[in-house]
Amino acid sequence: MPFMPVKFTLQKRVKLAQGLWMLYWVSVIMGILIFSLGIFFKIELRKRSELMDNNESHVVPNLLILVGLLSCGANAFGGKVCHDSLDPMKFSKWKSMLKPYLLMCCSFNVLLLVTALLCFLMQFAVYLTLAEGLKNSIKFYKDTDTPGRCFMKRTLDMTQIEFRCCGNNNFRDWFEVQWISNRYLDMSNDEVKDRVLSNVEGKYLMDSVPFSCCNPGSPRPCIQHHLTNNSAHYDYDHRIEELNIWTRGCREALFSYYSSMMNSIGVLVIVTIFLESADMAGLKYLSTALETMADPENPECESEGWLLEKGVKETFSEGLAKLKLLGKKNQVEEGGDAQETAT
Amino acid sequence: MVLLKMKFTQQRRVRLAQGLWLLSWLAVMCGAFIFCLGVYLKTELLRRAEVMDNAEIHVVPNILMMVGLASIGTNWVASRVCQDSMDASRFPRWKVLLLVWFGAAALLCCLLVAVVVLSYALQGRLEESLKVGLRNGIRFYKDTDVPGRCFQKETIDRLQMEFRCCGNNNFKDWFEVQWVSNRYLDFTSKDVKDRIRSNVDGRYLLDSVPFSCCNPASPRPCLQHHLTDNSAHYNYEYQAEELNLYSRGCRQALIDYYMDLMNSTGPGVLSVILIQISVLVSLRYLQTAVDGAMALENPEGNSEGYLLEKGLKETLEEVKANVLDMLKFGQVDPAAEESPEAAGGEKAADSPTEKAASPPSTS
């Protein structure tokens, strides 16, 4: 009792083969798209790896690149099989490879599912990495003379300008670190000495932010120093005034950028899963329809195609029985060896 | 005396038609490419229209867009002509249109050459336009409360950050204008009052620049205020220090950007000109070869293709004579009044000679 049988005339078979060929090429294009999105994601992670302490996880983009390449190859092969399917001579050489190919497509679909899940779940890892990395970046902002960290200032400034954000959670993160290097501080100055001594760790802390926090859209020229001191600026009250620096934190800004990227890639992978399943079903119908032709010499005859030869439960139990047999084969050999060694 | 004659067998004619069909479709793609190029250039110019004083430079992308569209149309017509050229019944209807087509194609090539020339020639005008536009932008930087100028500050700030430049020629342009609005100046403060009084126009001038001039790649946190005052900052000397501001002026930065854009399109435009010229020449050969073949008794036989039926000088003289004829039609009236009388006189002179001729024939 075949599972979901469909009757096929010659016309229907031809239409199925042509439609399936187009579908396979659409899947190849999807594979190329996933490959290029994987490369794009990898480049975006690399660009900002300094802000993530260089220990961000590249699992998702690597998996996307692998899946894209595999998808291109498998679907191109499927397209070639469809192209040859209506010519009995050409099709006969592909016949033997169809069963392993369909099994491979099944496992490829499982891999796609794993990739989609990772796309959605790894966002938590990205969030935590960003939080830790940005905290360190702000701490190392002033170390432009330390090898390995000399470009931290530039990276953080460009990120704050590009993503319109300031600090880790908000601009007050800059009040808690010394972001001016000691090279530019006049240690003989009384004011500087007071500030440094008033701090437990001897850090020169200010209520100022770097220039990259400034918002160009604000009507007032940027106030970046003495932010909490109302008397330092004319007509300024830091509690009620709409500050002319960015109020959003960079962790939130960067995370929303990466999470929207990962969400859209995840949706695309799910669409690919559906496409691949449709490809597999179509190929199964086509191959069974071509196999069950009553009279192989007469191409006009009718045939029947199905998804599974027996019902779902029976195929499942057959598969389990086969696995058990494989397991028992190993056991039989062991018993045989034991007998031989005994005798 | 034919110009550049070539012999064509039937097979060669068919090959020429097929090759020209492909070439004309390639030329259609090139036309689309030129159109897109024009659109891109125009968008880039419009994006910075606020810092440009006049729109003279827009003639380059406008011509590119027009030529692109016209090129798509003419080359599509050329492909249709190719398709019909092998069919003797359909080809003659294109006869008159082809003359117009040659004129149009030649005009397109000339326009493309003009675009390349213009993009170099207008560089000076662009520079002038940017000079005035940027000067106004810097002057109106503080007017964030004046309708029509409220976004000048944001435009200039974003421009300086994106193009990594400061001021018009350099950062000292900011020293000459008041870029802090009076709304944010405390007029009761002695410092402010001194500064304003020391200036003839009553402006509050500073030796400071806006934050958008700051260079993020500099190792030192940005010094933007009291730039000429060495004692205002620790370990700072105005003359010797590499300032952590952008050293380039925005006018130079924008000119470099637009010139790069137009120069990089130069080779593309030149190759499109070459393709268009080859389509023109091939179509002329095809037209003359097919016309020659259709005039033969055996249409499948050999025919000749040429560029001009007579030599270059003779063709030009013929064209001149045709044009003068057309002009003479306008002058027919004074001559026509005399000519009927002269014609009447001639006819009267003719008839006696005819009468004199006929009697000898009868008798």
Side-chain angles (χ1 to χ4, degrees):
Chain A
M1 238 286 294
F3 182 62
M4 295 203 355
V6 175
K7 286 232 174 289
F8 283 99
T9 59
L10 174 70
Q11 190 78 315
K12 256 182 139 183
R13 273 202 299 274
V14 169
K15 281 235 171 90
L16 176 64
Q18 287 173 337
L20 198 58
W21 182 82
M22 295 275 329
L23 202 63
Y24 266 116
W25 280 106
V26 169
S27 308
V28 168
I29 292 177
M30 289 290 272
I32 293 177
L33 192 65
I34 291 187
F35 174 74
S36 28
L37 279 175
I39 291 196
F40 171 67
F41 190 33
K42 199 169 172 78
I43 292 177
E44 283 294 307
L45 280 177
R46 274 285 173 87
K47 261 165 75 171
R48 304 202 170 83
S49 65
E50 246 184 333
L51 298 173
M52 297 196 256
D53 270 343
N54 289 329
N55 65 359
E56 74 275 11
S57 161
H58 279 259
V59 165
V60 173
N62 290 342
L63 203 56
L64 283 172
I65 291 174
L66 180 70
V67 158
L69 285 173
L70 281 178
S71 164
C72 276
N75 291 321
F77 176 75
K80 179 91 176 83
V81 169
C82 283
H83 185 77
D84 289 346
S85 64
L86 292 172
D87 184 352
M89 274 199 300
K90 284 191 191 163
F91 187 63
S92 52
K93 64 178 176 171
W94 299 119
K95 254 195 206 176
S96 51
M97 294 201 242
L98 275 180
K99 197 150 195 271
Y101 175 70
L102 281 171
L103 281 173
M104 192 195 81
C105 279
C106 251
S107 46
F108 180 64
N109 264 359
V110 172
L111 185 64
L112 277 175
L113 195 63
V114 167
T115 311
L117 277 174
L118 275 179
C119 274
F120 291 117
L121 295 177
M122 285 296 275
Q123 292 178 24
F124 295 110
V126 168
Y127 187 80
L128 293 171
T129 324
L130 271 175
E132 191 62 32
L134 277 172
K135 205 164 68 176
N136 288 337
S137 299
I138 291 177
K139 233 182 355 168
F140 302 143
Y141 182 84
K142 64 175 175 17
D143 295 334
T144 45
D145 52 349
T146 311
R149 292 188 206 150
C150 8
F151 293 112
M152 191 62 90
K153 175 182 180 296
R154 188 177 74 171
T155 312
L156 196 50
D157 277 334
M158 302 291 275
T159 306
Q160 291 192 148
I161 291 176
E162 190 183 331
F163 284 87
R164 307 183 186 200
C165 59
C166 188
N168 200 344
N169 298 307
N170 53 36
F171 62 91
R172 284 173 219 275
D173 298 317
W174 289 107
F175 298 173
E176 297 158 15
V177 294
Q178 174 181 353
W179 55 270
I180 299 189
S181 174
N182 283 336
R183 302 199 306 285
Y184 309 118
L185 290 173
D186 182 10
M187 292 302 184
S188 58
N189 186 322
D190 280 335
E191 198 191 315
V192 174
K193 277 196 282 198
D194 278 344
R195 271 196 190 264
V196 171
L197 286 170
S198 71
N199 181 270
V200 170
E201 294 159 36
K203 290 193 288 187
Y204 181 78
L205 301 180
M206 292 187 296
D207 54 349
S208 312
V209 293
F211 78 94
S212 43
C213 283
C214 289
N215 179 0
S218 157
R220 183 169 188 163
C222 187
I223 294 174
Q224 47 167 145
H225 300 289
H226 308 297
L227 283 166
T228 50
N229 185 359
N230 284 348
S231 55
H233 316 278
Y234 176 64
D235 192 15
Y236 176 72
D237 184 352
H238 78 273
R239 272 179 291 261
I240 51 173
E241 178 124 335
E242 200 177 303
L243 300 167
N244 52 9
I245 48 177
W246 302 117
T247 44
R248 194 161 71 146
C250 284
R251 184 178 58 210
E252 190 193 321
L254 280 167
F255 177 65
S256 75
Y257 173 68
Y258 280 122
S259 97
S260 62
M261 206 193 301
M262 287 170 97
N263 281 339
S264 25
I265 293 180
V267 165
L268 199 69
V269 171
I270 289 182
V271 167
T272 312
I273 292 178
F274 284 125
L275 209 60
E276 287 288 326
S277 319
D279 284 337
M280 272 170 52
L283 189 63
K284 184 70 175 173
Y285 271 124
L286 187 64
S287 60
T288 46
L290 285 171
E291 274 167 27
T292 60
M293 283 204 296
D295 181 9
E297 300 299 314
N298 174 20
E300 304 260 335
C301 70
E302 290 205 348
S303 63
E304 203 184 11
W306 56 73
L307 278 182
L308 292 171
E309 198 165 351
K310 299 163 188 153
V312 182
K313 273 193 189 168
E314 292 176 24
T315 321
F316 216 47
S317 46
E318 254 186 40
L320 272 176
K322 270 197 191 151
L323 279 173
K324 278 190 193 159
L325 215 72
L326 270 177
K328 271 199 192 142
K329 261 195 186 162
N330 284 334
Q331 288 180 13
V332 158
E333 283 176 17
E334 283 179 20
D337 285 343
Q339 276 186 358
E340 283 177 18
T341 50
T343 53
Chain B
M1 234 246 330
V2 175
L3 188 69
L4 293 179
K5 210 163 47 173
M6 269 178 72
K7 282 220 177 295
F8 282 98
T9 60
Q10 171 72 350
Q11 201 187 26
R12 262 183 121 185
R13 278 199 295 277
V14 171
R15 286 253 173 87
L16 179 63
Q18 288 171 338
L20 186 56
W21 185 81
L22 280 175
L23 194 63
S24 52
W25 275 108
L26 177 67
V28 168
M29 299 290 167
C30 289
F33 166 71
I34 293 277
F35 177 72
C36 293
L37 205 62
V39 168
Y40 175 63
L41 200 56
K42 194 154 178 86
T43 351
E44 282 296 306
L45 284 171
L46 282 175
R47 264 172 75 185
R48 311 282 166 206
E50 282 189 19
V51 292
M52 289 195 216
D53 187 43
N54 60 32
E56 277 179 20
I57 191 77
H58 281 252
V59 74
V60 170
N62 288 346
I63 293 184
L64 278 175
M65 288 197 287
M66 262 178 6
V67 166
L69 287 176
S71 170
I72 290 177
T74 44
N75 291 314
W76 181 79
V77 166
S79 75
R80 299 283 307 156
V81 170
C82 285
Q83 273 183 318
D84 286 347
S85 64
M86 289 293 112
D87 187 348
S89 57
R90 292 208 296 214
F91 189 66
R93 67 179 176 171
W94 292 109
K95 224 175 162 53
V96 176
L97 194 63
L98 272 179
L99 284 173
V100 179
W101 189 93
F102 286 127
L107 182 67
L108 285 179
C109 289
C110 292
L111 278 176
L112 279 174
V113 171
V115 157
V116 175
V117 167
L118 271 177
S119 67
Y120 285 107
L122 286 176
Q123 183 178 344
R125 306 288 295 161
L126 179 66
E127 199 164 336
E128 275 300 310
S129 164
L130 280 173
K131 189 156 116 174
V132 175
L134 280 170
R135 198 176 61 211
N136 287 340
I138 291 176
R139 254 200 309 187
F140 303 144
Y141 183 86
K142 63 175 176 18
D143 295 335
T144 44
D145 51 349
V146 174
R149 293 186 203 155
C150 9
F151 292 110
Q152 218 42 297
K153 176 183 179 294
E154 188 171 353
T155 310
I156 295 282
D157 277 336
R158 288 206 190 283
L159 187 77
Q160 292 192 145
M161 287 200 287
E162 192 179 327
F163 284 88
R164 305 185 190 205
C165 58
C166 187
N168 201 341
N169 300 306
N170 53 37
F171 65 90
K172 296 194 203 169
D173 297 318
W174 289 105
F175 296 175
E176 297 159 14
V177 293
Q178 176 182 351
W179 55 271
V180 183
S181 175
N182 283 335
R183 302 199 306 285
Y184 309 119
L185 291 175
D186 183 8
F187 283 97
T188 58
S189 152
K190 186 174 175 304
D191 183 43
V192 173
K193 280 193 281 195
D194 280 343
R195 272 195 190 268
I196 290 183
R197 276 203 221 112
S198 70
N199 181 273
V200 171
D201 302 321
R203 290 182 294 172
Y204 182 76
L205 300 180
L206 297 165
D207 55 349
S208 312
V209 293
F211 78 93
S212 44
C213 282
C214 288
N215 183 357
S218 159
R220 184 170 187 162
C222 186
L223 299 169
Q224 44 168 149
H225 299 291
H226 308 296
L227 283 168
T228 51
D229 185 3
N230 283 348
S231 56
H233 314 280
Y234 176 64
N235 193 13
Y236 173 72
E237 200 185 311
Y238 171 59
Q239 311 292 18
E241 179 124 337
E242 198 178 303
L243 300 167
N244 52 9
L245 308 169
Y246 293 124
S247 48
R248 205 165 55 149
C250 285
R251 188 176 72 220
Q252 192 57 44
L254 281 167
I255 295 267
D256 286 345
Y257 174 67
Y258 282 122
M259 281 302 123
D260 276 346
L261 206 59
M262 290 203 248
N263 286 347
S264 58
T265 61
V269 171
L270 284 173
S271 44
V272 169
I273 294 176
L274 282 173
I275 291 179
Q276 187 68 52
I277 290 180
S278 48
V279 168
L280 194 126
V281 166
S282 314
L283 192 61
R284 175 67 179 163
Y285 271 123
L286 184 67
Q287 178 202 22
T288 46
V290 171
D291 275 341
M294 288 201 297
L296 289 174
E297 288 167 5
N298 174 18
E300 308 259 324
N302 296 354
S303 67
E304 277 182 2
Y306 47 80
L307 279 183
L308 291 172
E309 197 165 352
K310 300 163 187 152
L312 191 61
K313 273 194 189 167
E314 291 173 26
T315 320
L316 281 175
E317 276 173 33
E318 244 190 71
V319 168
K320 210 165 62 173
N322 281 345
V323 167
L324 284 173
D325 257 348
M326 276 204 291
L327 289 177
K328 266 196 196 151
F329 270 120
Q331 297 174 15
V332 152
D333 290 337
E337 284 174 15
E338 298 174 16
S339 53
E341 296 170 10
E346 280 178 21
K347 273 195 184 155
D350 275 341
S351 44
T353 52
E354 281 181 28
K355 283 189 185 158
S358 50
S361 60
T362 49
S363 59

